[in-house]
Amino acid sequence: MSVTVVKHVLSIALLAGGVGVVLVCCIGIVVANDTFDRLHFITPASTIGIGFISLAIILSKPLGSTTLKIALLFVITVVTSPILSHATARAARIRRFAEWRIYPEELADDDQRERRTGRDEEARRIRELQASLAAEDVSPTLARDGGRGAGAEGGRQEPTRRSSRPPDKEAVVWRILAHMPGLRRPPGDPAGHVRGGDEVREVRDRRVSGAPTDASAEETRGEEGP
Amino acid sequence: MNMWQVGTAALLVGLVPCGIACLRGSLGARLVALELAGLVAVLVALLISADSSVSSVLDITLLLAFVAFVGGLVFTRFLGRWL
């Protein structure tokens, strides 16, 4: 068999395979009714389908500008199709749940669920702190010196309204970060960020002193058996 | 009929299920069917350009792929924000 015949047979096989994949995807999109189920049928058509068909054309045509254009078309489709699928899935999820976030009960793994719960808890605490800072509305100077004015020697002074000076953003940020328990997480404690600051310090002190922590005590109990 | 024309005819048949899927299901599901129909249309144009001796037909295919992507994004944005 000559090379031409092999190329011809190969291009026919690739064309048949590509068209078959696309047809299967077209049938699958009718069978599936949910948005996210249907999204799965776009990926084979936009990768395998167009890849096989492009390869079939490239094999049957002489190398030139046509080949380059077909390769460019393949690259464009392969790059843009996942973007479009992601945007569609995002829009569908926002339509269904009104926001773009994962709920803890959607996670199958307990560890993932614990991490997600911790992140949500941290975000909630930061939001509350930001709200309390906005409600206080104290000037940055008063926030730094603890509410004592320059003229009042240790006496309590009512916080003044925010001046025209721009706020000291660094002080505000550090004040927010000081309430994040994750910053005080000891190394090697994956669940430390979901605990409060006192509990984290307690776990750290136990580790330094060599006393068993809750996790290690549970492991020990598990090894001992019933 | 050569193989490119056979492939084009088969892909045109594949547009029918996409059209049916566009008429069924939720708005998001219909949008997905529309996106697949755009992809099939790009492949049909690609096979037509392979069959044609005019090389500039392939430029239309490239443009169609780009327009299908941008149109899908616009529809998705519209779906997520306004519908």
Side-chain angles (χ1 to χ4, degrees):
Chain A
M1 278 198 303
S2 65
V3 178
T4 311
V5 174
V6 171
K7 276 187 175 180
H8 188 66
V9 170
L10 205 57
S11 67
I12 288 176
L14 285 170
L15 179 65
V19 171
V21 167
V22 175
L23 285 179
V24 167
C25 291
C26 291
I27 293 170
I29 216 160
V30 177
V31 173
N33 281 324
D34 188 48
T35 307
F36 302 104
D37 291 341
R38 283 187 176 183
L39 273 175
H40 288 98
F41 292 103
I42 289 188
T43 311
S46 63
T47 52
I48 301 172
I50 197 168
F52 279 10
I53 292 174
S54 303
L55 207 57
I57 297 173
I58 288 172
L59 279 178
S60 64
K61 302 278 182 189
L63 290 176
S65 63
T66 305
T67 311
L68 281 177
K69 284 179 185 174
I70 291 172
L72 181 63
L73 178 70
F74 173 70
V75 169
I76 286 176
T77 309
V78 166
V79 169
T80 58
S81 177
I83 298 171
L84 197 54
S85 295
H86 173 76
T88 308
R90 185 184 171 101
R93 186 171 173 84
I94 288 174
R95 270 179 67 82
R96 185 176 293 180
F97 296 104
E99 59 181 349
W100 175 250
R101 63 188 279 268
I102 301 173
Y103 294 99
E105 56 269 19
E106 289 180 297
L107 297 171
D109 189 7
D110 288 342
D111 193 32
Q112 285 181 341
R113 194 176 301 128
E114 190 179 9
R115 280 201 297 271
R116 167 61 60 183
T117 309
R119 280 202 291 271
D120 289 348
E121 183 68 19
E122 284 184 14
R124 187 187 62 78
R125 291 181 64 173
I126 290 172
R127 278 198 300 273
E128 286 178 359
L129 191 65
Q130 286 172 338
S132 67
L133 284 174
E136 278 183 13
D137 203 15
V138 295
S139 69
T141 309
L142 286 173
R144 275 200 299 272
D145 62 12
R148 292 190 301 273
E153 292 287 332
R156 185 167 178 79
Q157 188 181 14
E158 288 297 320
T160 58
R161 306 300 295 174
R162 193 179 292 277
S163 65
S164 59
R165 265 180 58 195
D168 191 354
K169 291 181 180 175
E170 190 181 356
V172 174
V173 167
W174 276 111
R175 197 170 164 190
I176 292 172
L177 290 179
H179 287 75
M180 292 178 67
L183 288 179
R184 294 189 293 273
R185 180 179 56 188
D189 182 19
H193 62 285
V194 297
R195 297 182 178 129
D198 294 331
E199 292 182 38
V200 171
R201 273 193 291 275
E202 187 182 348
V203 171
R204 185 181 55 199
D205 294 342
R206 280 185 193 170
R207 287 190 173 175
V208 170
S209 63
T213 59
D214 294 341
S216 60
E218 286 175 4
E219 287 173 4
T220 310
R221 279 196 296 273
E223 289 172 358
E224 288 171 353
Chain B
M1 286 180 76
N2 58 15
M3 62 176 183
W4 309 121
Q5 291 170 348
V6 172
T8 306
L11 285 181
L12 283 174
V13 170
L15 278 176
V16 175
C18 293
I20 294 171
C22 283
L23 300 175
R24 293 170 51 195
S26 63
L27 281 175
R30 293 178 189 206
L31 180 61
V32 175
L34 184 69
E35 290 169 4
L36 184 63
L39 183 64
V40 174
V42 169
L43 291 175
V44 167
L46 179 63
L47 288 180
I48 289 174
S49 67
D51 187 33
S52 170
S53 58
V54 183
S55 66
S56 60
V57 177
L58 200 52
D59 297 341
I60 299 173
T61 310
L62 278 171
L63 194 65
L64 181 61
F66 184 70
V67 169
F69 168 63
V70 176
L73 275 186
V74 170
F75 268 119
T76 303
R77 187 88 170 165
F78 186 64
L79 178 78
R81 281 212 169 184
W82 302 107
L83 289 181

